């Protein structure tokens, strides 16, 4: 990721813990950031169901302001059964909180690395030897069917409409972002679509092909999404960068994450256009609010901690500190520390905060 301008220290980080296990995992990520040696000022904001309960909206104006004032945002997760039936639906945590903040901050590029970690090779549901993977999903985040208009339901409930809409400009900017990322890796981009059926996919192909011709150092090929879902299970090692639209990226990145062993391991960055030359981003674990384990100290904080490492690397250029965190994570796992989701025989079960403490201890 080219880092044009690094903000001055102390870095200002907006912290949005959200709902369910969000606050638990974010506490650990903040603990790790505090131990990283970077000077950071944290400002907390409300988001999601907890914000709705407290102030009647899942995305309060103060939260948006806090994010705009910050150099980067660290987010937990939102949602839960308590808020699933709120009407109008635009007040629900996922739509009025999560999707709204992404759009409000112009975060169109969702970057989700998924890598098999050696100490967790047995946690993968795929056979050993078939599960080595090191890929990045670059998902378009503010277009497509999650945002397209019209969307509505017939008054009698008999029919519903969602629209998938993409513009050439939206496809161009995410494709160039994917090429930038690929350039720092193995320079191999798999563009995933459903061009045998969808018009938007055919536009994606056209634009990706045009940009591919102008960027001959990147090797690009196209794959249909159904084939990609299958190829990820058959041979996940074949992928370097997967470039795709919003909904396909949502689904494929969860699939890829599971190959690593748990959803609780996968970090993500959502980036917009550089802000005054700076890389502004929102960093969050890929997982949701996991209401089934919330409040029990069972959540795996590693996805949130690795998201904090991505923040140090992408937004603050703190390569060395990011490496330290990532090495501390591998080291804690190599020593056999495990939260419940990745626990196996002959390993040591630890709670969310014990895992956070162990990472901090390994960073010195
Ligand atoms: P989920 O990711 O919350 O949970 C799926 C499964 O993975 C659950 O069994 C959960 O216990 C487990 N899990 C997830 N994260 C874990 C972690 N860190 N450690 C250990 N186990 C973990 O997905 P879901 O159950 O489909 O959704 C729950 C709620 O989260 C819903 O309201 C959904 O809309 C919301 N959601 C929010 C986001 C977000 O905020 N970015 C993303 C996905 C889902």
């Amino acid at each position: 990721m080219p880092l044009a301008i690094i903000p001055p220290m102390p870095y200002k980080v907006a912290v949005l813990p959200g709902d369910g296990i969000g606050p638990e995992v974010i506490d650990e990520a903040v603990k790790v950031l505090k131990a990283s040696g970077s000077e950071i000022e944290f400002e907390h904001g409300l988001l999601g169901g907890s914000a709705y309960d407290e102030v009647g909206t899942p995305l309060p104006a103060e939260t948006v302001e806090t994010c705009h004032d910050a150099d980067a945002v660290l987010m937990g997760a939102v949602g839960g059964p308590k808020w699933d039936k709120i009407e109008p639906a635009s007040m629900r945590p996922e739509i009025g909180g999560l999707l709204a903040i992404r759009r409000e901050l112009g975060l169109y590029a969702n970057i989700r690395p998924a890598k098999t970690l050696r100490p967790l090779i047995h946690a993968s549901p795929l056979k050993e030897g078939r599960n080595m993977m090191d890929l990045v999903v670059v998902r378009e985040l503010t277009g497509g069917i999650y945002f397209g208009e019209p969307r509505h339901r017939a008054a009698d409930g008999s029919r519903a409409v969602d629209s998938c809409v993409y513009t050439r400009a939206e496809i161009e900017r995410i494709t160039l972002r994917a090429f930038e990322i690929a350039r720092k890796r193995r320079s191999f981009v798999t563009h995933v679509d459903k061009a045998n059926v969808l018009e938007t996919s055919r536009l994606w192909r056209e634009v990706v092909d045009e940009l591919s011709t102008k960027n001959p150092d990147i090797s690009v090929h196209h794959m249909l999404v159904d084939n990609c879902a299958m190829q990820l299970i058959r041979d996940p090692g074949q992928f370097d960068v997967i470039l795709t639209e919003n909904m396909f990226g949502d689904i494929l990145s969860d699939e890829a994450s599971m190959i690593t062993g748990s959803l609780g391991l996968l970090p993500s960055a959502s980036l917009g256009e550089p802000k005054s030359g700076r890389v502004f981003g929102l960093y969050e674990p890929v997982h949701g609010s996991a209401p089934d384990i919330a409040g029990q100290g069972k959540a795996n904080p590693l996805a949130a901690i690795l998201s904090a490492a991505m923040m140090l690397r992408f937004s603050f250029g703190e390569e060395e500190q990011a490496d330290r965190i990532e090495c501390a994570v591998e080291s804690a796992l190599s020593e056999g520390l495990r939260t419940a989701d990745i626990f196996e025989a002959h390993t040591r079960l630890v709670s969310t905060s014990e895992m956070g403490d162990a990472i901090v201890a390994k960073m010195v």
Side-chain angles (χ1 to χ4, degrees):
M1 187 65 45
L3 194 72
I5 298 173
I6 296 166
M9 282 217 240
Y11 307 128
K12 283 164 77 181
V13 173
V15 181
L16 314 179
D19 309 319
I21 62 168
E24 299 169 50
V25 298
I26 287 304
D27 275 356
E28 301 314 307
V30 168
K31 201 189 264 180
V32 167
L33 281 173
K34 283 183 176 162
S36 73
S38 302
E39 265 179 68
I40 302 177
E41 273 173 13
F42 298 96
E43 176 119 14
H44 281 66
L46 289 170
L47 181 76
S50 47
Y52 181 83
D53 287 349
E54 212 161 301
V55 293
T57 167
L59 180 58
E62 300 81 63
T63 298
V64 176
E65 206 174 304
T66 302
C67 293
H68 278 307
D69 283 349
D71 298 314
V73 182
L74 180 66
M75 202 188 89
V78 300
K82 182 178 176 197
W83 304 286
D84 276 351
K85 303 245 156 32
I86 292 175
E87 289 297 345
S90 59
M91 281 289 126
R92 291 180 198 161
E94 294 84 350
I95 299 172
L98 187 64
L99 296 190
I101 187 107
R102 287 173 178 165
R103 172 168 271 190
E104 183 65 44
L105 299 176
L107 305 170
Y108 65 85
N110 188 218
I111 296 160
R112 296 182 163 191
K115 185 175 172 182
T116 320
L117 299 173
R118 289 222 168 254
L120 290 180
I121 210 142
H122 303 295
S124 170
L126 297 191
K127 279 193 205 128
E128 210 173 317
R130 294 232 167 174
N131 55 10
M132 288 316 289
M133 172 182 75
D134 181 359
L135 60 81
V136 177
V137 177
V138 178
R139 163 191 172 199
E140 200 290 326
L141 201 58
T142 51
I145 201 160
Y146 291 178
F147 289 96
E149 295 292 343
R151 71 164 75 202
H152 56 81
R153 176 90 70 98
D156 66 357
S158 63
R159 193 167 175 270
V161 174
D162 289 296
S163 305
C164 187
V165 182
Y166 268 111
T167 65
R168 187 166 266 276
E170 284 172 325
I171 303 166
E172 274 171 6
R173 62 184 184 178
I174 189 75
T175 302
L176 291 173
R177 213 75 201 231
F179 286 3
E180 258 171 39
I181 289 166
R183 213 162 261 132
K184 302 231 153 156
R185 297 171 50 90
R186 302 193 295 279
S187 297
F188 178 58
V189 172
T190 306
H191 163 242
V192 175
D193 64 20
K194 189 73 184 165
N196 52 345
V197 179
L198 300 177
E199 199 51 48
T200 43
S201 286
R202 284 192 278 273
L203 179 62
W204 270 80
R205 275 203 186 197
E206 232 172 85
V207 175
V208 170
D209 282 341
E210 282 166 23
L211 293 173
S212 166
T213 310
K214 292 182 188 152
N215 293 270
D217 59 320
I218 306 293
S219 152
V220 178
H221 90 279
H222 304 284
M223 190 179 274
L224 294 176
V225 63
D226 34 358
N227 185 24
C228 183
M230 185 268 279
Q231 293 294 339
L232 270 171
I233 302 297
R234 195 186 71 83
D235 176 20
Q238 72 182 279
F239 297 102
D240 180 20
V241 171
I242 292 177
L243 162 66
T244 192
E245 61 98 77
N246 202 342
M247 184 165 69
F248 297 158
D250 192 4
I251 297 166
L252 293 174
S253 57
D254 269 27
E255 183 185 348
S257 75
M258 203 50 226
I259 296 169
T260 67
S262 169
L263 207 48
L265 296 167
L266 272 281
S268 79
S270 301
L271 307 178
E273 292 298 350
K275 225 167 73 172
S276 324
R278 298 172 183 178
V279 175
F280 178 77
L282 180 149
Y283 300 84
E284 60 174 316
V286 164
H287 61 75
S289 60
D292 53 334
I293 56 166
Q296 301 170 37
K298 284 185 183 168
N300 186 340
L302 294 181
I305 289 171
L306 292 169
S307 302
M310 284 183 92
M311 169 190 289
L312 290 177
R313 177 172 290 121
F314 286 3
S315 283
F316 306 147
E318 301 272 13
E319 235 5 275
E320 219 172 283
Q321 308 292 7
D323 285 348
R324 265 175 75 215
I325 295 174
E326 287 163 0
C327 288
V329 166
E330 284 231 33
S331 160
L333 293 171
S334 295
E335 275 185 15
L337 301 188
R338 300 283 189 277
T339 42
D341 54 316
I342 47 175
F343 180 72
E344 53 191 329
H346 313 301
T347 60
R348 183 153 75 85
L349 184 64
V350 292
S351 68
T352 309
S353 64
E354 284 168 338
M355 183 60 101
D357 291 342
I359 305 303
V360 168
K362 301 251 166 256
M363 283 165 64
V364 288

